[in-house]
C-alpha cells in the first residue's frame, strides 16, 4: 500500500504535480531509472519536450528544462549558483573529487589555474600539435578506406581526441591512431560507464 499511496501522492499532491510529464515518470522514479540504464533517457527527453513543452517532469522530484532562459531564470530566483547534484556527479561518496564535481569555490580556483592553457595564444601555440593528429587521422582513414572495409568513424574521432589529450596533458599520445585501437586506460573508461550508470540509478 505504501508504494501505491506514494505514487498517488506524487501524481496529485506533490509540489511538482502541476508540471506535465508521462504518468509513470510522475508516479515513480522507476521509469526514469529504466530509461537511464537503457541509455535512452536523453533521446526520450527530447520526445517528452516535443509532447509536453519546455518543462517536463521526468521523475516525481525532477524537472527537465528545454528553454534557453531556464538556466539564468533559475539562478536569478535562487540568487546563487546551485551545487551540482551529488547523486549524479558523485554517486560514490568515497570517490576522489575532480574539477567536474568540486564546490563552486574550488572549481573556480582550479579553473583559474587551468585557464592560461586555454587562452587564444596557448591554443595557437598548440595548433601544430593538434593539426599533426588531424593529418594523421586523415592519413589513417585513407589507408583504411583503400581496403574496402567500413570504418566506425566515431571510434576514429575518439582515437584522435584521446591522442591529442594525451599529448597535451601527459606529453605523449595514447597511440590510438597508430594502433587503430583504444589504449587499455581508455577502454577501461568506456567499460566503467555502464556500471557507473547503474550505481547512479
Amino acid at each position: 500500500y505504501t508504494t501505491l499511496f506514494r505514487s498517488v501522492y506524487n501524481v496529485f499532491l506533490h509540489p511538482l504535480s502541476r508540471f506535465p510529464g508521462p504518468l509513470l515518470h510522475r508516479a515513480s522514479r522507476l521509469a526514469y531509472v529504466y530509461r537511464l540504464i537503457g541509455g535512452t533517457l536523453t533521446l526520450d527527453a527530447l520526445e517528452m519536450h516535443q509532447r509536453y513543452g519546455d518543462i517536463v517532469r521526468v521523475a516525481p522530484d525532477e524537472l527537465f528544462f528545454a528553454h534557453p532562459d531556464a538556466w539564468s531564470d533559475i539562478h536569478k530566483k535562487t540568487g546563487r549558483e546551485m551545487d551540482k547534484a551529488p547523486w549524479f556527479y558523485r554517486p560514490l561518496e568515497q570517490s576522489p573529487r575532480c574539477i567536474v564535481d568540486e564546490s563552486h569555490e574550488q572549481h573556480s580556483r582550479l579553473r583559474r589555474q587551468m585557464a592560461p592553457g586555454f587562452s587564444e595564444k596557448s591554443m595557437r601555440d598548440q595548433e601544430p600539435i593538434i593539426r599533426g593528429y588531424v593529418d594523421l587521422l586523415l592519413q589513417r582513414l585513407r589507408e583504411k578506406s583503400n581496403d574496402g572495409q567500413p570504418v566506425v568513424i566515431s571510434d576514429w574521432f575518439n582515437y584522435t581526441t584521446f591522442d591529442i589529450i594525451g599529448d597535451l596533458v601527459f606529453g605523449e599520445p595514447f597511440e590510438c591512431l597508430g594502433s587503430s585501437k583504444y589504449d587499455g586506460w581508455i577502454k577501461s573508461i568506456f567499460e566503467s560507464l555502464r556500471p557507473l550508470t547503474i550505481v547512479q540509478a
Side-chain angles (χ1 to χ4, degrees), residues 111-123 126 168:
R111 195 169 165 187
R112 276 195 301 276
Q113 291 169 355
M114 296 171 72
F118 295 94
S119 68
E120 187 174 345
K121 180 187 181 316
S122 290
M123 295 308 287
Q126 295 161 4
L168 295 178

Side-chain angles (χ1 to χ4, degrees), residues 138-151:
L138 296 174
Q139 175 193 326
R140 300 293 282 133
L141 287 176
R142 277 190 213 97
E143 292 167 6
K144 291 289 177 187
S145 65
N146 285 337
D147 65 13
Q149 293 297 314
V151 295

Side-chain angles (χ1 to χ4, degrees), residues 70-86 102-105 108:
W71 185 269
S72 59
D73 287 349
I74 290 166
H75 288 293
K76 277 181 202 161
K77 287 221 174 182
T78 60
R80 64 179 180 82
E81 189 86 11
M82 290 188 293
D83 288 329
K84 293 178 176 174
E102 275 291 0
S103 65
H104 294 294
E105 297 76 24
S108 297

Side-chain angles (χ1 to χ4, degrees), residues 139-186:
Q139 175 193 326
R140 300 293 282 133
L141 287 176
R142 277 190 213 97
E143 292 167 6
K144 291 289 177 187
S145 65
N146 285 337
D147 65 13
Q149 293 297 314
V151 295
V152 180
I153 198 72
S154 59
D155 284 344
W156 285 91
F157 286 147
N158 281 334
Y159 299 160
T160 308
T161 302
F162 279 106
D163 276 354
I164 291 169
I165 290 169
D167 199 332
L168 295 178
V169 175
F170 303 114
E172 59 183 67
F174 288 102
E175 294 296 343
C176 298
L177 284 169
S179 64
S180 304
K181 63 181 184 183
Y182 289 110
D183 174 85
W185 285 99
I186 297 164

Side-chain angles (χ1 to χ4, degrees), residues 12 44 143 161 200:
F12 298 106
D44 296 335
E143 292 167 6
T161 302
Q200 187 185 73

